[in-house]
Amino acid sequence: MSKHRPTIADIARRAGVSKVAVSYALNDRPGVSPATRASIKAIAQEIGWRPNSAARALTHARADTVGLALSRPARMLGVEPFFMELISGIETELSARGCALLLQVVTDPAQELEMYRRWWGEGRVDGVFLADVRSPDPRIEGIAELGMPAVVIGHPSAAGTLTPVWSDDSAALRDTLTYLAALGHRSVARVAGLPELIHTQLRDRAQREISAGLGLDEPVVVHTDYSGEEGAHATRRLISSATRPTAVIYDNDIMAVAGLSVAQEMGLDVPADLSLVAWDDSQLSRVVRPPLTALSRDIPAYGSHAARTLLAMVADGSAPGFEDAAARLVPRGSTAPPR
Amino acid sequence: MSKHRPTIADIARRAGVSKVAVSYALNDRPGVSPATRASIKAIAQEIGWRPNSAARALTHARADTVGLALSRPARMLGVEPFFMELISGIETELSARGCALLLQVVTDPAQELEMYRRWWGEGRVDGVFLADVRSPDPRIEGIAELGMPAVVIGHPSAAGTLTPVWSDDSAALRDTLTYLAALGHRSVARVAGLPELIHTQLRDRAQREISAGLGLDEPVVVHTDYSGEEGAHATRRLISSATRPTAVIYDNDIMAVAGLSVAQEMGLDVPADLSLVAWDDSQLSRVVRPPLTALSRDIPAYGSHAARTLLAMVADGSAPGFEDAAARLVPRGSTAPPR
DNA sequence: TCACGGCACTTACCCGGTTCAGTAACTCCG
DNA sequence: CGGAGTTACTGAACCGGGTAAGTGCCGTGA
């Protein structure tokens, strides 16, 4: 028996028709009698025929694949559940539509753009996701120039001419600060992520404005690389500063856990001496003691929305942006009125 | 200017030669003069030509893509740094060779096999990785039947006729148990992962054998789904059992952190009352108090080795298996002699 | 001066599936 | 019973590259 994968020509030979008839039959297009169609389909089934994706891509200029390149170092990616959950949500949507995901981990945004150029030039993808938007971000303009469908996972103000899918961080922050203010906190610091990311900058600004609006102290914001080490270090600095805050918001949960450990090690009682809030919830927030009050979002759903938007863009040439639900504050044991 | 991506025909027209000459020139094959070659390359560069991957795939029957399907639920994947780090290591190797990674998150192993069948049938991938091998695992035989190059990320005894890339868990376990025995522990339990995974079973057996060899008590092993919740629950059970162990090994770090919290909450001092060891090290192990003694591996390197092996299989039809370094025990504050 | 070898390039056809423009045969209707 | 319309199907060409087998031209050596 022959090694090569069956083609429509093989089916045509066995069915005694031309390969065109086979193509029509298998694609449920008119032009073949029901009997012929059935027998062709039966043969295809029997010999295990699958359409060659390259041949298909060649004719309709469709790759049925979208791309995602991530430019954070491996150890950062590993520790943040965010991306894995996002990817898995993206997948859910894509696989339902028979679309594949091409993934690439690169070291910097310039490489990422180069990757996208290559994928697009080679016709490997029909569109891409863009995460971790910076300011300024050459990827935005680069992709717009290519005319490649792209969805920005981030706020519209960062998306340029591309289509954004985002959630309202400032609403989430408002809820959190209002809650902390109601508990009696006046000095709320934040251990933030990478300062060059637009979403960090938006959170920074929102925090200043909302704090001012609520009559809280001007917030101290410490920027980090999202690692536990820097989260711990930042917490140590905040605790030992002259104006020690009574509450700290962390931009991810690994830093919040690190902060909790540091606080306890320095003899502080959480939440009595220091309240902690983690931005983005995961199992981690629930397994430590006290469990962490967290800003919880359905990240897989966020990914699904992004994927749906991108597929719509690929199909129709454009699609409206999508605002996902804001993160929901889940109070747990790490927040309380200050002593 | 025309919308469509440039092809070699466009280059041929502009250079005043046939497209075959262009093909020869761009692929550095003899048959064109240096002058013509240079001018063709210059034109290609200028108009931003890239070889269409579908067309290429069609002629060489090569997709320049390998696949990885993961069948764990989204929330499990997110929380375990292992897979993200593995993927990023795989990527490092692949991208250096211009190969892409097709990723799919599915819900069960049967779906995973179906995915592999489809990818292979459609010519989308040249080979795949297989992770989380079970016993019995229909994927092994299914893939072997297809004749598709595949690397099993796991022990040779689980790989059937496929090529394994693995690390010696039993050596790592021996180091750990020897270390704990030297500290004076006699009762070492383990909070293990999914019991249907072969690698869990191998660890279980190794632990029994090594414990017996060292004269330790017959180990209590509790199986979980790797989640923090189940890790916490298992720890609670172990601590309140009649034969409370003096040390516990956890099959991942999120469970170890959960176990630490539970122990402290139940009034135990770690490490004086209970020593803890985490299998696989991440930032998490270092940010909690006390920091966790861990079995540390270079997971990205593990991924790179797997990728290199798979690429060799694709190129040569077969490749030898590869045994990666065993995990190294990194003692930290969570282990000490029992009270 | 002419056969020969090799260079530089072309023509023809392939990969696997899709599309377009036919072409028989059969049906319907006036 | 002849012409129009429909059905079921086929041949040729195409997508964007790649390969095998030429072809024409040049320089060289006998």
Side-chain angles (χ1 to χ4, degrees):
Chain A
M1 110 179 143
S2 71
K3 279 249 121 128
H4 87 122
R5 292 177 264 220
T7 71
I8 54 167
D10 298 326
I11 300 176
R13 202 172 316 117
R14 295 193 38 169
V17 294
S18 71
K19 59 187 198 133
V20 183
V22 175
S23 176
Y24 287 157
L26 293 173
N27 290 298
D28 287 322
R29 290 156 52 90
V32 269
S33 68
T36 311
R37 188 186 303 279
S39 98
I40 286 172
K41 284 190 167 180
I43 294 171
Q45 175 82 22
E46 186 198 329
I47 66 176
W49 174 86
R50 312 263 183 161
N52 179 300
S53 73
R56 273 232 160 113
L58 203 50
T59 43
H60 20 22
R62 267 298 196 85
D64 286 327
T65 303
V66 295
L68 171 63
L70 297 174
S71 52
R72 289 203 195 174
R75 58 186 204 104
M76 296 290 102
L77 277 174
V79 100
E80 279 218 77
F82 181 85
F83 283 108
M84 241 338 189
E85 290 191 27
L86 186 76
I87 288 171
S88 117
I90 287 174
E91 280 294 328
T92 309
E93 192 61 31
L94 292 183
S95 68
R97 323 258 204 113
C99 190
L101 178 70
L102 212 50
L103 186 77
Q104 183 87 37
V105 178
V106 296
T107 54
D108 63 279
Q111 250 195 317
E112 199 183 315
L113 177 56
E114 182 47 33
M115 206 66 231
Y116 284 155
R117 284 221 173 90
R118 193 172 130 195
W119 281 349
W120 182 245
E122 293 178 355
R124 270 177 185 276
V125 300
D126 300 323
V128 296
F129 298 101
L130 209 61
D132 281 347
V133 184
R134 287 145 198 266
S135 122
D137 199 320
R139 295 176 301 165
I140 300 276
E141 215 187 321
I143 288 175
E145 240 168 55
L146 292 175
M148 166 168 57
V151 162
V152 170
I153 296 174
H155 196 264
S157 67
T161 55
L162 304 180
T163 300
V165 171
W166 77 102
S167 72
D168 189 352
D169 281 3
S170 108
L173 206 44
R174 177 178 307 282
D175 286 353
T176 308
L177 290 170
T178 306
Y179 162 75
L180 290 172
L183 288 179
H185 292 275
R186 311 207 29 97
S187 171
V188 181
R190 191 163 131 266
V191 174
L194 291 168
E196 59 266 35
L197 299 185
I198 285 201
H199 97 267
T200 302
Q201 296 166 14
L202 289 171
R203 288 181 183 184
D204 292 357
R205 203 180 52 190
Q207 190 180 5
R208 277 197 306 277
E209 290 172 4
I210 296 166
S211 295
L214 291 169
L216 304 181
D217 298 351
E218 168 86 17
V220 176
V221 173
V222 186
H223 292 110
T224 69
D225 65 357
Y226 288 110
S227 70
E229 277 83 358
E230 295 205 2
H233 182 72
T235 307
R236 225 170 270 125
R237 271 181 49 204
L238 286 172
I239 290 177
S240 41
S241 77
T243 59
R244 179 205 294 176
T246 58
V248 183
I249 300 171
Y250 292 86
D251 267 9
N252 73 4
D253 41 18
I254 181 81
M255 292 196 296
V257 171
L260 172 64
S261 300
V262 164
Q264 291 174 336
E265 199 178 28
M266 290 175 81
L268 298 188
D269 181 87
V270 174
D273 298 320
L274 187 69
S275 286
L276 305 181
V277 178
W279 201 314
D280 278 341
D281 195 11
S282 78
Q283 288 186 42
L284 207 45
S285 324
R286 273 164 277 147
V287 301
V288 293
R289 296 300 129 180
L292 299 173
T293 294
L295 281 161
S296 178
R297 304 189 267 183
D298 186 345
I299 299 170
Y302 192 27
S304 293
H305 296 142
R308 207 169 304 155
T309 303
L310 182 53
L311 289 174
M313 290 193 73
V314 170
D316 310 335
S318 76
F322 183 88
E323 178 172 0
D324 210 327
R328 199 169 38 82
L329 183 70
V330 181
R332 297 205 185 92
S334 68
T335 43
R339 196 146 11 217
Chain B
M1 96 183 152
S2 71
K3 277 259 122 128
H4 87 121
R5 292 177 264 219
T7 71
I8 54 167
D10 298 327
I11 300 177
R13 203 172 316 118
R14 294 193 38 169
V17 295
S18 73
K19 61 188 196 124
V20 181
V22 175
S23 176
Y24 286 159
L26 294 173
N27 290 298
D28 287 323
R29 290 157 53 90
V32 268
S33 68
T36 311
R37 188 186 303 276
S39 99
I40 287 173
K41 284 192 166 179
I43 294 171
Q45 175 82 25
E46 186 199 330
I47 66 177
W49 175 85
R50 312 262 184 161
N52 179 300
S53 73
R56 269 221 163 125
L58 202 49
T59 43
H60 325 27
R62 268 294 197 88
D64 286 326
T65 304
V66 295
L68 172 63
L70 296 175
S71 53
R72 289 203 194 172
R75 57 187 205 104
M76 296 290 103
L77 277 175
V79 100
E80 279 218 78
F82 181 84
F83 283 109
M84 233 359 188
E85 290 190 26
L86 186 77
I87 288 172
S88 117
I90 287 174
E91 281 294 325
T92 309
E93 192 61 30
L94 293 183
S95 66
R97 324 258 203 113
C99 190
L101 178 71
L102 212 50
L103 185 77
Q104 184 85 38
V105 178
V106 297
T107 55
D108 63 279
Q111 250 195 317
E112 200 183 313
L113 178 56
E114 182 49 32
M115 207 65 230
Y116 285 156
R117 284 223 173 89
R118 193 172 130 194
W119 281 348
W120 182 245
E122 294 178 354
R124 270 177 185 275
V125 299
D126 300 323
V128 296
F129 298 101
L130 209 60
D132 281 346
V133 183
R134 287 146 197 264
S135 122
D137 198 321
R139 295 176 300 164
I140 300 276
E141 214 188 323
I143 288 174
E145 238 167 57
L146 294 175
M148 165 168 60
V151 162
V152 170
I153 296 173
H155 196 264
S157 67
T161 56
L162 305 181
T163 300
V165 170
W166 77 103
S167 72
D168 188 351
D169 280 4
S170 112
L173 206 44
R174 177 178 308 280
D175 287 353
T176 308
L177 290 171
T178 305
Y179 162 77
L180 290 172
L183 289 179
H185 292 274
R186 311 209 26 99
S187 171
V188 181
R190 190 162 131 267
V191 174
L194 291 168
E196 59 267 34
L197 299 185
I198 285 200
H199 97 269
T200 303
Q201 297 166 11
L202 289 171
R203 288 180 184 186
D204 291 358
R205 203 181 50 190
Q207 189 180 6
R208 274 197 307 276
E209 290 173 2
I210 296 166
S211 296
L214 291 169
L216 304 180
D217 297 352
E218 168 87 15
V220 176
V221 174
V222 186
H223 292 111
T224 68
D225 65 356
Y226 288 111
S227 69
E229 277 83 359
E230 295 205 2
H233 182 71
T235 306
R236 225 169 270 126
R237 271 180 50 205
L238 286 172
I239 290 175
S240 40
S241 77
T243 58
R244 179 205 294 177
T246 57
V248 184
I249 300 171
Y250 293 85
D251 268 9
N252 73 3
D253 40 18
I254 180 82
M255 292 196 296
V257 172
L260 173 64
S261 301
V262 164
Q264 291 173 337
E265 199 178 29
M266 289 174 83
L268 298 189
D269 181 86
V270 175
D273 297 321
L274 188 69
S275 287
L276 305 181
V277 179
W279 201 315
D280 278 342
D281 195 11
S282 78
Q283 288 187 42
L284 206 45
S285 323
R286 271 162 279 148
V287 301
V288 293
R289 296 301 130 181
L292 299 173
T293 294
L295 281 161
S296 178
R297 302 188 268 183
D298 186 345
I299 299 169
Y302 192 27
S304 293
H305 296 143
R308 206 169 304 154
T309 303
L310 183 53
L311 289 175
M313 290 194 72
V314 170
D316 311 334
S318 76
F322 182 88
E323 178 172 0
D324 210 327
R328 197 169 39 83
L329 182 70
V330 180
R332 297 205 185 91
S334 69
T335 42
R339 182 107 68 185

